[in-house]
Amino acid sequence: MHYLIMNYALRIMNLKLTCLLESMETKITGAVALIRSMLTEGVDTIFGYPGGAIMPVFDALYDFDGQMNHILTRHEQGASHAAQGYARVSGKVGVCLVTSGPGATNVVTAIGDAMIDSTPLVVITGQVGAHLLGTDAFQEIDVVGITQPITKWSYQIRKGEDIAWAVARAFYIARSGRPGPVVLDIAKNAQLESIEYNYKPCTFIRSYIPNQEIDQNQITFAANMINQAKKPFALVGQGVVLAEAEEELKAFLQKADIPAAWTLLGASAMPTEFELNKGFLGMHGNLAPNLKTNECDVLIAIGMRFDDRVTGDLSRYAKQAKIVHLDIDFSEIGKNVKVDAPVLGTAKLTLPALTECIVATKHTEWIDTFKEHEVREHEVVIQKEVFPSTGEITMGEVVHKVSEATQNKAVLVTDVGQNQMIAARYFNFTQTRSMVTSGGLGTMGFGIPAAMGAKMGAPERTVCLFCGDGGFQMTIQELGTIMQEQIGVKMIILNNHFLGMVRQWQEMFFEERYSFTEMQNPDFIAIAKAYRIDGTEVHKREELDAAIADMLKDDKPYLLVVNVEKKGMVFPMIPTGAAVTDIMLGV
């Protein structure tokens, strides 16, 4: 009897031990839960920089080699801009992983940039342990407080059991509706805690309605307005690209024969050679679309937000026109411009619904009126900028030659300034998701890391980065990332030894008082060589074609420095505070 009791007790102990071991096997750390959750969300590439408060996650990454590609940048700002570039060309959510304190504050610029440019981004920051919060511990900073105004959602995770839930919610918010950045601030103890892991993708959040149901009454009202138009004109923004509605856009425009122009971020939503594409809107846009904005009778805004760089003086903007506005974000409709026919919803659905209701027609006479302005701009501005026969090399001819050499198939990435506007004007596009630039925030230093991310997001495509000599030096350390990862970015510096756009304003509006804009630059090619990146510097026009061909001969990283005219100008130009009809072709 005693033997049977002992045997039974032993079996119970063994059963309990087995259950304990099985329980331990099903538990993982919060750091591992974070990585598994990201893998479930389809993340294959992240950009980051390690540090103490995020160390458990980087340690866990060690065991996921081959499942997730981590790109070690040389600065957290580089990591976050690279994640933006990756998101813009791939259509996926960009992911950035950094530590607390200065690591977190170094990504704030990119978060703000992503918010205003509607880029889906998940930024993960480390944080001190929950028991230290509020004590001014080493590298503690209020990440949520700092980022809440410039994110779709900013959340602090203090317990490991909340990680999977928060990640699912973060990716859903970042990619749905109007995309944007989300921040997850993860306390160190949450990364270390042993938890039971159960991941459930998020598909619904109460009170968050990313996609509105299409209102047929809105569609019908807008369609009637378009059907009555004699001079309709469409303005195309990035919302078309984000909605993957490029084909729907073309079908809409072609059915009603509507000429269209694009915003800076809407570049590549239509192929350059599309018959109804009338060019670039805004401050440095084309002459015809800016003038025609104030001549059309119905203005159809599609996935754009009437930014001040597009509208100029609002009191003199399209006052003669009825306004139809298609947008996914209710807060944008009527915010800057009074709208007569709002159409709320994703362009992927609203454009086909509208196309079905509009009448097929032709507006040949109206479209022909664009031609005289196109000819004038070509004679006064484009011929001299893109096809000069004498004088110094111009920025426009460099951009045009590079675009032609890639058969207009490359991804264009720009920094900010004259290089950005010239590139937008003279680079041509044959496919969508081919423009990566900092639009709303205008972030100098965006170019190099964004180009890295773009190449990682579309490795099969040629990525051409245009920078000024000023912006290039703001994130020049990322040449180290390019070297280590052998990221085949083609970098072109338009070197005029000035902060070019500021100098242009000083020349035009500040009596040529060039206050702190002239730059003494280093030997960029020598710096590239130190990073084991090939390159060449061009001083003469006759050297340019061969240099471009050499740059594009393979898929390796390359730096091309082109010394352009020091006081080159970007025209046309609408001065700040002027109307779109006050556009200048020169000084």
Side-chain angles (χ1 to χ4, degrees):
M1 189 67 170
H2 180 69
Y3 170 77
L4 291 175
I5 292 173
M6 288 291 293
N7 187 44
Y8 180 74
L10 186 61
R11 288 171 61 190
I12 293 296
M13 288 177 62
N14 285 337
L15 182 61
K16 287 183 177 180
L17 180 60
T18 299
C19 290
L20 178 62
L21 290 172
E22 287 178 354
S23 175
M24 291 175 63
E25 287 174 1
T26 60
K27 287 191 174 184
I28 57 175
T29 66
V32 173
L34 173 65
I35 297 168
R36 285 194 185 179
S37 299
M38 288 193 292
L39 286 170
T40 302
E41 289 292 341
V43 176
D44 53 21
T45 303
I46 58 177
F47 304 87
Y49 204 97
I54 199 68
M55 195 77 73
V57 175
F58 275 88
D59 180 68
L61 272 172
Y62 193 87
D63 296 323
F64 287 84
D65 187 40
Q67 297 181 61
M68 186 175 290
N69 187 20
H70 177 273
I71 306 299
L72 173 64
T73 59
R74 297 305 183 262
H75 192 281
E76 291 90 353
Q77 184 178 356
S80 47
H81 287 322
Q84 285 181 273
Y86 176 90
R88 294 273 281 273
V89 299
S90 69
K92 300 178 181 179
V93 177
V95 180
C96 173
L97 180 66
V98 299
T99 194
S100 64
T105 57
N106 281 343
V107 300
V108 170
T109 297
I111 294 169
D113 199 298
M115 185 66 177
I116 200 166
D117 282 355
S118 303
T119 303
L121 203 63
V122 170
V123 176
I124 299 165
T125 61
Q127 184 56 274
V128 301
H131 67 290
L132 292 173
L133 289 170
T135 68
D136 290 333
F138 178 66
Q139 292 191 336
E140 179 195 359
I141 199 158
D142 184 0
V143 174
V144 172
I146 291 170
T147 60
Q148 204 162 37
I150 53 172
T151 55
K152 289 186 73 177
W153 186 50
S154 187
Y155 182 74
Q156 187 174 78
I157 301 172
R158 300 183 181 185
K159 298 182 293 183
E161 64 192 46
D162 293 335
I163 286 176
W165 170 86
V167 171
R169 191 179 178 98
F171 276 85
Y172 174 63
I173 293 172
R175 67 164 65 100
S176 61
R178 179 179 180 177
V182 170
V183 168
L184 292 179
D185 187 46
I186 309 181
K188 193 169 184 178
N189 62 284
Q191 302 167 43
L192 293 166
E193 288 169 4
S194 181
I195 60 170
E196 292 185 1
Y197 178 69
N198 180 27
Y199 192 80
K200 295 180 180 179
C202 180
T203 58
F204 172 78
I205 297 173
R206 191 174 61 180
S207 80
Y208 173 60
I209 306 173
N211 295 299
Q212 302 283 342
E213 286 188 22
I214 305 302
D215 185 336
Q216 190 57 45
N217 290 328
Q218 290 182 342
I219 296 291
T220 302
F221 187 71
N224 289 338
M225 195 171 288
I226 294 168
N227 288 337
Q228 294 171 24
K230 302 299 182 186
K231 297 185 288 185
F233 187 32
L235 313 182
V236 177
Q238 187 190 202
V240 171
V241 177
L242 296 174
E244 299 180 350
E246 296 88 350
E247 292 304 315
E248 289 81 357
L249 172 69
K250 287 197 287 186
F252 167 72
L253 296 175
Q254 287 171 326
K255 183 175 181 180
D257 200 30
I258 300 173
W262 40 271
T263 67
L264 178 63
L265 294 184
S268 84
M270 300 177 286
T272 303
E273 297 302 318
F274 178 57
E275 66 271 18
L276 293 168
N277 186 345
K278 295 302 174 183
F280 181 25
L281 291 161
M283 178 174 279
H284 291 288
N286 295 114
L287 179 64
N290 278 301
L291 293 179
K292 293 303 173 181
T293 298
N294 276 16
E295 292 181 29
C296 65
D297 57 2
V298 174
L299 192 66
I300 309 152
I302 308 169
M304 55 87 72
R305 57 188 181 84
F306 290 108
D307 175 77
D308 63 290
R309 284 298 196 261
V310 167
T311 66
D313 180 6
L314 281 169
S315 69
R316 293 180 283 168
Y317 181 77
K319 291 302 179 182
Q320 80 295 336
K322 297 290 186 182
I323 309 292
V324 178
H325 192 178
L326 285 69
D327 208 286
I328 197 170
D329 186 352
F330 176 79
S331 68
E332 291 295 347
I333 296 178
K335 185 177 76 174
N336 295 328
V337 174
K338 181 179 179 296
V339 174
D340 298 284
V343 179
L344 190 61
T346 172
K348 189 73 172 177
L349 299 178
T350 57
L351 276 173
L354 199 55
T355 303
E356 187 176 340
C357 293
I358 59 175
V359 176
T361 188
K362 288 291 181 184
H363 292 106
T364 305
E365 186 176 340
W366 161 238
I367 292 172
D368 284 345
T369 65
F370 284 73
K371 291 179 182 177
E372 62 176 300
H373 301 301
E374 292 167 351
V375 170
R376 184 176 173 219
E377 182 180 351
H378 191 276
E379 290 175 349
V380 177
V381 177
I382 298 173
Q383 182 66 40
K384 156 174 94 169
E385 179 65 42
V386 178
F387 307 106
S389 55
T390 59
E392 297 175 280
I393 301 171
T394 64
M395 295 179 285
E397 71 177 307
V398 180
V399 172
H400 176 74
K401 284 179 177 289
V402 172
S403 183
E404 291 286 297
T406 65
Q407 293 82 49
N408 305 321
K409 295 179 180 178
V411 175
L412 169 64
V413 184
T414 82
D415 207 84
V416 169
Q418 285 185 320
N419 66 90
Q420 179 186 36
M421 294 295 103
I422 283 285
R425 284 181 55 81
Y426 299 118
F427 207 87
N428 293 329
F429 304 101
T430 57
Q431 61 189 98
T432 190
R433 290 195 178 272
S434 294
M435 176 56 144
V436 180
T437 193
S438 173
L441 202 60
T443 304
M444 287 183 69
F446 175 87
I448 299 177
M452 299 186 322
K455 184 63 177 176
M456 299 297 293
E460 74 287 354
R461 299 189 66 186
T462 300
V463 174
C464 294
L465 163 68
F466 285 90
C467 272
D469 42 309
F472 190 82
Q473 293 179 79
M474 284 195 170
T475 46
I476 197 170
Q477 72 277 353
E478 296 308 331
L479 294 178
T481 309
I482 292 172
M483 172 189 67
Q484 182 167 337
E485 299 292 337
Q486 277 298 291
I487 305 171
V489 175
K490 309 304 180 181
M491 299 169 282
I492 304 103
I493 299 178
L494 301 175
N495 189 10
N496 57 16
H497 299 276
F498 267 104
L499 297 176
M501 188 60 82
V502 182
R503 184 211 56 77
Q504 177 168 334
W505 282 51
Q506 288 173 336
E507 180 168 331
M508 295 178 66
F509 309 119
F510 292 87
E511 301 177 345
E512 300 184 22
R513 291 159 59 88
Y514 301 128
S515 180
F516 304 104
T517 49
E518 190 165 8
M519 301 188 75
Q520 182 175 341
N521 289 322
D523 185 338
F524 290 113
I525 298 301
I527 292 173
K529 186 177 180 181
Y531 284 104
R532 297 191 284 280
I533 296 172
D534 290 336
T536 191
E537 185 167 5
V538 170
H539 295 273
K540 299 177 181 179
R541 179 168 286 112
E542 52 267 29
E543 302 169 342
L544 187 55
D545 287 339
I548 292 172
D550 193 47
M551 175 180 70
L552 296 173
K553 68 183 180 183
D554 56 36
D555 200 38
K556 295 179 181 178
Y558 195 97
L559 176 62
L560 173 62
V561 180
V562 184
N563 291 280
V564 298
E565 55 181 338
K566 290 189 71 172
K567 293 189 178 181
M569 306 285 273
V570 185
F571 285 110
M573 181 178 181
I574 302 169
T576 299
V580 290
T581 48
D582 295 328
I583 188 168
M584 302 166 61
L585 295 183
V587 289

